[in-house]
Amino acid sequence: MPRRRAQPPVTVEPLAPRIATGLHKIGLAMKQQAWHQASGEGLSATQAQILALLVAHGSLTGSELAARLGVSLPTVSDSVRALVEKELCVRSADPRHPRASLLSPTRRGAALGARARAWPEFMADAVATLEPDEQRAFFQGVVKMIRTLQEQGLIPLDGMCVTCTHFRPNVHVGDAPHHCAFIDAPLVPEQLRLDCPDHAAAADAERRELWARFLTPG
Ligand code: SF4
């Protein structure tokens, strides 16, 4: 009598933890890629992230860098010292705070920072395999997850329309329901920013109200 092939076990684990496992794998791939590319440029991953931030946002203080990267000031200070020694960054006086200094990339540092900013784009090929509807649903999920992590204080409250004081959710009829008061222009859902340099964090109560209005299409 022929032996029956063993059936794979039926998956009973809920979807949420399995998505978390998948995100963990994607995170590992990104970390490995970032480390590989940074070391290829003679940088640590933090040094590369600092250069990328300076290219994206302009000159910043050590405290601002630490807040945006979600790491401690001593960690940033060590990396900044190394970048200055490598002549990839220069310090200058901060006109806003007499005792602080601003960090700016040199020409070579800016070129490396621009390359570092492009590194996550290796993911774009993988994302491009999703159908348009899948991409829209995925983007919406990403916005929700990042906001949750921001509200939990696990990543910096930075860059996203849904936490920005200039954001006006669901104020228009049609395909572009949202509005950015900073550029005074309507936004379609796919145009919501995750890394806007003009983001201005709304206060706690305002953020809660923005989110409630965002989740309630008109
Ligand atoms: S300023 Fe930037 S983050 Fe704020 S609403 Fe406008 S596009 Fe979004």
Side-chain angles (χ1 to χ4, degrees):
M1 190 172 151
R3 291 178 60 187
R4 290 178 58 190
R5 291 179 62 186
Q7 296 293 311
V10 177
T11 302
V12 291
E13 194 183 8
L15 204 48
R18 287 194 290 133
I19 291 173
T21 301
L23 289 174
H24 179 65
K25 285 182 184 241
I26 292 171
L28 284 178
M30 296 204 64
K31 209 167 168 181
Q32 196 174 30
Q33 187 76 5
W35 178 83
H36 182 72
Q37 304 236 25
S39 62
E41 304 278 10
L43 301 170
S44 71
T46 306
Q47 290 166 13
Q49 284 178 312
I50 289 173
L51 290 176
L53 268 179
L54 294 175
V55 168
H57 297 279
S59 304
L60 296 169
T61 64
S63 303
E64 289 168 336
L65 282 167
R68 286 175 187 269
L69 288 172
V71 298
S72 68
L73 187 55
T75 300
V76 163
S77 300
D78 287 347
S79 296
V80 164
R81 199 173 307 116
L83 288 170
V84 170
E85 281 169 9
K86 292 176 185 174
E87 300 184 348
L88 296 173
C89 283
V90 289
R91 288 194 180 94
S92 61
D94 182 352
R96 301 165 300 170
H97 309 287
R99 295 177 60 190
S101 62
L102 280 173
L103 197 71
S104 310
T106 61
R107 185 189 291 250
R108 198 158 62 88
L112 286 176
R115 281 212 286 281
R117 260 171 72 72
W119 291 346
E121 294 199 353
F122 80 96
M123 288 296 293
D125 290 344
V127 175
T129 64
L130 302 177
E131 297 296 329
D133 280 355
E134 291 175 322
Q135 289 188 14
R136 276 191 285 276
F138 194 49
F139 183 68
Q140 198 172 21
V142 165
V143 168
K144 284 188 177 182
M145 286 187 62
I146 294 175
R147 178 191 171 274
T148 300
L149 294 171
Q150 287 182 333
E151 294 296 339
Q152 290 173 344
L154 294 174
I155 52 176
L157 187 63
D158 193 23
M160 291 223 303
C161 289
V162 293
T163 59
C164 176
T165 193
H166 302 300
F167 188 48
R168 308 284 182 269
N170 290 312
V171 290
H172 301 299
V173 175
D175 293 342
H178 312 307
H179 196 89
C180 170
F182 186 79
I183 56 172
D184 193 19
L187 300 170
V188 301
E190 292 79 23
Q191 282 177 312
L192 295 188
R193 299 288 304 267
L194 302 179
D195 61 349
C196 177
D198 301 314
H199 175 269
D204 290 359
E206 188 187 1
R207 287 203 311 279
R208 282 195 292 275
E209 197 187 322
L210 281 175
W211 188 243
R213 293 210 314 263
F214 176 69
L215 294 179
T216 316

